[in-house]
Amino acid sequence: MTGAMYAAIAGLKTHMNKMNVIGNNIANVNTAGYKSQRAIFKDAMYTTYSGGSDGTSTMGGKNPSQIGYGSQLSTIDLNMGTGTYTPGRSTDCMIYGDGFFLVGDKDTANNIKKDDPNSVKSLSMTRVGDFEFKGDGYLCDGNGNVVYGFLTTGVDPVTGKPQVSDQLVPIRLPKFDNGGIKYPSQTGPNGKLEDYKGAGGAIPDAQMDGITINPTTGAITATSKDTKEIITIGYLAIGNVTNPNGVTHEDGFYYKASDGAGDLQISMMGGVAKDLNITQINGSITGGGAASPKLKIGSAGGTKLMCGGLEGSNVDLASEISEMITTQRGYQANTRIITVTDAMLEELVNVKR
């Protein structure tokens, strides 16, 4: 008889966990970039009172007899569907489609090894593109994490197209020296991308006006206040994982491509990588003449940006309220099972001869 009570207790715990998930969704109904979750139940273990049989020459078959012991939490799924557009600042970005912006600190670039595709997983991923150039010249999100992408290293004198590095690095402003814009160059050790330095050492960042982000290519352009020319600072990188619903949630609106998410591929939007003949990051040949694994730059497919705003929460408040009601009723029914079982036990101990 107490099996019913233990089953109800398991049901109480499971419904409480689901209510925690619902409460978190409702609490974040207005949180930028928030992705809703859902709790899935499964039934718990069973006790078999009698096994089943297929029947004999004289008797028919019979089904197994089993009694269950309540429910338990099976999974908490993440819904990575695109949220609604919320207007904001001119440098705000929302990803329309799959993918994540890549952010980290300035030193994270040193951890991205040219022959280790998995090293890029040291970066954090986010769907919240609240970007702006800070006082140190780096493009950062609202929490001060630098945004990663591909920097312009110059302008092709024939085509006029920007020349873009194949290194995934923090996006930062070019320099201004001797009356002109000075781009980063691959003159560091092992071709490392470094800021231009004048004869006197470090020089100031170029002063920019009218910074915009192209929604198709992710190109960041601006007008130089000194030369009045329109330049391309760089391109935003987009990270795509094999299983977007399998990413691991960190504090705030950040995710990691940990176990369950699959491979993390770096992409450029609008076919830019193909146009610029970029196919890999820091590709190299190691000893023995064999090609080592490389970080490939793929295409972001149909993913585009919606600039001038952020992605809102994808929580469906009506569905959450409905789930809250049914969860409350389920919890209430389980408490009634405990009450009824207790009453039956009371009757049992009060039996007189």
Side-chain angles (χ1 to χ4, degrees), residues 141-189:
D141 67 9
N143 291 324
N145 293 299
V146 294
V147 183
Y148 276 69
F150 304 95
L151 285 176
T152 299
T153 58
V155 179
D156 190 304
V158 178
T159 64
K161 290 184 177 181
Q163 297 171 323
V164 181
S165 170
D166 63 355
Q167 295 190 27
L168 184 64
V169 295
I171 295 177
R172 57 193 186 276
L173 294 173
K175 304 294 183 178
F176 181 78
D177 187 31
N178 296 325
I181 299 295
K182 306 298 180 182
Y183 296 96
S185 59
Q186 293 180 270
T187 57

Side-chain angles (χ1 to χ4, degrees), residues 133 150-152 171-174 208 220-222 231-235:
F133 283 97
F150 304 95
L151 285 176
T152 299
I171 295 177
R172 57 193 186 276
L173 294 173
M208 299 294 174
I220 305 169
T221 59
I231 67 169
T232 300
I233 300 170
Y235 293 82

Side-chain angles (χ1 to χ4, degrees), residues 19-185:
M19 189 63 76
N20 290 337
V21 173
I22 295 172
N24 188 53
N25 286 338
I26 294 178
N28 287 282
V29 68
N30 289 316
T31 300
Y34 178 77
K35 302 303 177 184
S36 61
Q37 297 175 296
R38 66 174 184 178
I40 304 296
F41 294 175
K42 66 178 180 180
D43 42 356
M45 65 178 183
Y46 285 84
T47 296
T48 301
Y49 275 75
S50 62
S53 66
D54 294 332
T56 66
S57 58
T58 58
M59 297 292 293
K62 65 177 182 178
N63 296 328
S65 298
Q66 297 176 297
I67 293 181
Y69 285 90
S71 62
Q72 58 183 325
L73 195 62
S74 175
T75 61
I76 299 178
D77 299 328
L78 187 64
N79 175 16
M80 291 302 298
T82 304
T84 57
Y85 175 79
T86 305
R89 303 179 303 185
S90 60
T91 53
D92 287 342
C93 286
M94 167 183 166
I95 297 177
Y96 188 78
D98 294 332
F100 301 86
F101 298 114
L102 300 171
V103 299
D105 56 36
K106 297 176 184 178
D107 292 333
T108 305
N110 298 324
N111 299 326
I112 301 176
K113 307 301 181 182
K114 59 185 179 182
D115 297 326
D116 181 9
N118 288 323
S119 63
V120 75
K121 290 186 176 183
S122 60
L123 292 170
S124 295
M125 305 182 300
T126 181
R127 296 275 297 188
V128 181
D130 56 337
F131 303 147
E132 67 175 350
F133 283 97
K134 302 295 185 179
D136 58 1
Y138 282 83
L139 183 67
C140 301
D141 67 9
N143 291 324
N145 293 299
V146 294
V147 183
Y148 276 69
F150 304 95
L151 285 176
T152 299
T153 58
V155 179
D156 190 304
V158 178
T159 64
K161 290 184 177 181
Q163 297 171 323
V164 181
S165 170
D166 63 355
Q167 295 190 27
L168 184 64
V169 295
I171 295 177
R172 57 193 186 276
L173 294 173
K175 304 294 183 178
F176 181 78
D177 187 31
N178 296 325
I181 299 295
K182 306 298 180 182
Y183 296 96
S185 59

